[in-house]
Amino acid sequence: MTEDPSAPPASLPTLADALGIGPDDLVCAVGAVGAGGKQSLLSHLARDLDGVLTSTVRISVFDDEVAEVVVTDAPETAVAETPTRPLGVVRERERPDRYRGYDPATVDRIARATDDEVLVKADGARSRWLKAPGEDEPQLPDTADLVCPVASVRVVGEPLTDERVHRPELVSDVSGTAVGDAISEWDVAAVLANDRGGMKDVPETARVVPVLDMVDDERLAETADEIAGWLCEHPRVERVVATSLAADEPVVGFY
């Protein structure tokens, strides 16, 4: 089903429903969508679902986004014994503004220790709007149920350089667009749907729902619609969700 991205917010589902999140799903966000984008996506979900938020990579301090954060080397125990939700669990506070997460196998164990949805930031992007993963990215748990590759629609029309793109040379290899040339809707779709891009290392059993963020006006909604049209042709893409994650009601449309 396709919804008009310009439709009134009241006609649209919650973010969790738009993404198709089921009970006790292990949900991972990868890709790039600007400063705090993946984390904002996961924070919205943690609050909506009263879930558990964690990471397999570095993550900005998110104490204000959940009811409690536990810093621990025993996250399975913390999740099982701490009734507070939404709950954050992290391995250590690396510096005042940043936590360190766990290895993917530990996150697998966290998911087995709770019936709650577990929400995972699984790579970084240095505040860019589009990316291709490096050799050691993403850090996805084997038991991930849902993987959400994310990108900002605002990158369309921007030059393929490191100002807006993390690892532009790798994005060029995936999309075929030369470094320095303007990024098209096709480029964004190609990166999100490629096994060297947003699909990299996604477990065979995981569902894939790309997220197109920063859909903040009618022009950007048209951009999202075109990108989504390409993405929906991929056999592993279950649906595509357009968002404005800076808003209290973030869902703009879904396809």
Side-chain angles (χ1 to χ4, degrees):
M1 177 179 181
T2 301
E3 292 288 338
D4 179 358
S6 63
S11 70
L12 295 168
T14 66
L15 182 59
D17 286 343
L19 293 172
I21 296 175
D24 73 10
D25 268 357
L26 175 54
V27 181
C28 299
V30 300
V33 70
K38 291 190 295 293
Q39 192 163 326
S40 180
L41 171 73
L42 297 169
S43 295
H44 270 292
L45 292 172
R47 294 190 298 271
D48 290 348
L49 297 166
D50 281 337
V52 176
L53 176 56
T54 189
S55 181
T56 55
V57 295
R58 293 177 175 87
I59 185 170
S60 297
V61 167
F62 57 93
D63 298 48
D64 292 340
E65 304 299 322
V66 295
E68 182 178 354
V69 174
V70 178
V71 180
T72 177
D73 289 328
E76 307 100 304
T77 301
V79 167
E81 296 183 354
T82 305
T84 309
R85 297 293 186 272
L87 176 69
V89 287
V90 289
R91 187 174 69 180
E92 65 176 315
R93 191 157 189 162
E94 186 177 51
R95 64 188 197 191
D97 63 341
R98 190 166 71 188
Y99 291 122
R100 289 180 66 89
Y102 302 101
D103 62 88
T106 298
V107 173
D108 281 325
R109 294 195 296 273
I110 293 172
R112 291 195 294 269
T114 179
D115 292 331
D116 296 308
E117 294 86 355
V118 177
L119 311 160
V120 185
K121 181 184 177 187
D123 73 356
R126 299 186 180 179
S127 301
R128 305 307 200 269
W129 289 350
L130 183 67
K131 75 167 287 186
E135 185 176 348
D136 60 347
E137 296 178 323
Q139 295 289 311
L140 287 170
D142 290 338
T143 59
D145 297 295
L146 174 65
V147 176
C148 297
V150 297
S152 168
V153 296
R154 287 187 178 273
V155 79
V156 172
E158 295 283 336
L160 181 50
T161 64
D162 60 9
E163 182 178 2
R164 296 298 187 194
V165 178
H166 189 35
R167 301 193 184 91
E169 293 80 8
L170 292 182
V171 168
S172 176
D173 289 343
V174 170
S175 70
T177 295
V179 172
D181 285 357
I183 297 166
S184 69
E185 292 88 349
W186 159 253
D187 293 323
V188 177
V191 170
L192 290 178
N194 193 281
D195 60 9
R196 292 182 292 151
M199 298 281 195
K200 184 182 176 187
D201 296 337
V202 173
E204 291 185 5
T205 56
R207 309 187 309 278
V208 179
V209 177
V211 175
L212 304 174
D213 190 39
M214 298 187 181
V215 184
D216 301 325
D217 59 35
E218 185 174 349
R219 179 185 64 82
L220 293 169
E222 292 173 355
T223 299
D225 189 73
E226 186 165 349
I227 297 169
W230 290 108
L231 287 170
C232 287
E233 294 184 2
H234 193 286
R236 290 207 63 184
V237 170
E238 183 175 276
R239 64 183 78 180
V240 179
V241 178
T243 62
S244 180
L245 290 172
D248 290 336
E249 300 295 334
V251 177
V252 175
F254 69 100
Y255 310 82

